[in-house]
Amino acid sequence: GKGNYNHFMQKEIFEQPAVIGDTLHSFINPATRSIKLPDMPFNIGDATRLTIVACGTSFYAGLVAKHWIERYAGLGVDVDVASEFRYRCPPMPKGGIALFISQSGETADTLAALRYAKSKGQKILSIVNVPESTIARESDVVLQTYAGPEIGVASTKAFTTQLTVLACLAVTIGRENGSLSAKDEAGIVSALTELPKQVAEILHHDEEIRNLAINIADARDVLYLGRGLGYPIALEGALKLKEISYIHAEGYAAGEMKHGPIALIDPLVPIIVIAPSDDLFEKTVSNMQEAAARGGRVIFLSDAKGLETIGDMASATVEMPAVADFASPILYTIPVQMLAYHVAVHKGTDVDQPRNLAKSVTVE
Ligand code: F6R
């Protein structure tokens, strides 16, 4: 049941500190601050290319993973949506590894993409939330997310636990291929173990985010901007908002604004900026200024240091806990979920069962 919550989605958002913790516990050895994935019938450190395929929110988890694996493991990663990948019939490298990400483990396009990759001799890895699912059964190695059943159609805790597993995978590949030292691994493990507490901290901003949501509930269009690890979170924020509140929303790489979408900006378009104070922060701020200069209503998500830098340039802010760069996408997902949730509740839409959507998409 929903317990004390009004919707499954709300309950599932609030379960995230616990389920991220459960997922971490299954892959982390806290004593040695190292990561231990299940044994694999191949050496992942030998991979010369990794192909990631998924749909929807799970695809955005793949975009974050690309960033992590390229940066921390030095391994090139291709990421594609399953419905494009499978019909393109792409060549796949001999001895390559393909990774499929799916909450349900039953998404028809993702499953078809898996079968295609298998026919091309790839080793098949999957990240699923349902261990007895078809995708799990047809994989060589299954990495499970311990999100528990996800009932709300809009994916929340499945996404953040997918990211948690992908972080562990990125570290493992880096260690196995020699790109990541034991010291770097320990640093990342420490950052990951901070997450449940930091996520819980953001959940305390519920009332504040609800008030921001009320202010954007009348918008016709909303833009989400981010760079680097923040870009997939901008995409995810926009998807969450459109699917449950039916407001048109777009996620953009902040640097792409000037190549077109900036033409959309007027005082009626709220712009949500995902901006942890990492090495891309200054660039994101200059994109934010371009938007603000054209009358855009900016809602700026950053830590205390970032918020101090921008002074009163944004019309609203959400103060996030300071977080290691590596872990920021997991943390910054939480407020965009909460924002979408509260907009939908304010508009009175069916949060758990949005129109036209199914929890598990078994049609092609
Ligand atoms: C969005 C959402 C969908 C799913 C997509 C893939 O909130 O839930 O975009 O992420 O249908 O589903 P799975 O992960 O079950 O393959």
Side-chain angles (χ1 to χ4, degrees), residues 54-59 101-107 110 135 150 152-156 162 236 239-240 243 358-361:
C55 300
T57 288
S58 297
F59 166 67
I101 308 171
S102 177
Q103 186 284 128
S104 61
E106 301 295 345
T107 301
T110 307
I135 287 176
E150 191 179 64
V153 163
S155 187
T156 53
Q162 285 167 350
E236 170 62 4
L239 178 61
K240 279 305 80 109
E243 70 178 327
K359 183 65 188 162
S360 182
V361 183

Side-chain angles (χ1 to χ4, degrees), residues 52-71:
I52 302 180
V53 182
C55 300
T57 288
S58 297
F59 166 67
Y60 298 149
L63 293 180
V64 173
K66 174 183 172 76
H67 204 106
W68 278 335
I69 294 168
E70 291 189 343
R71 179 132 161 203

Side-chain angles (χ1 to χ4, degrees), residues 163-177:
L163 292 179
T164 303
V165 174
L166 287 161
C168 295
L169 179 65
V171 169
T172 302
I173 298 172
R175 180 185 62 225
E176 296 299 315
N177 71 14

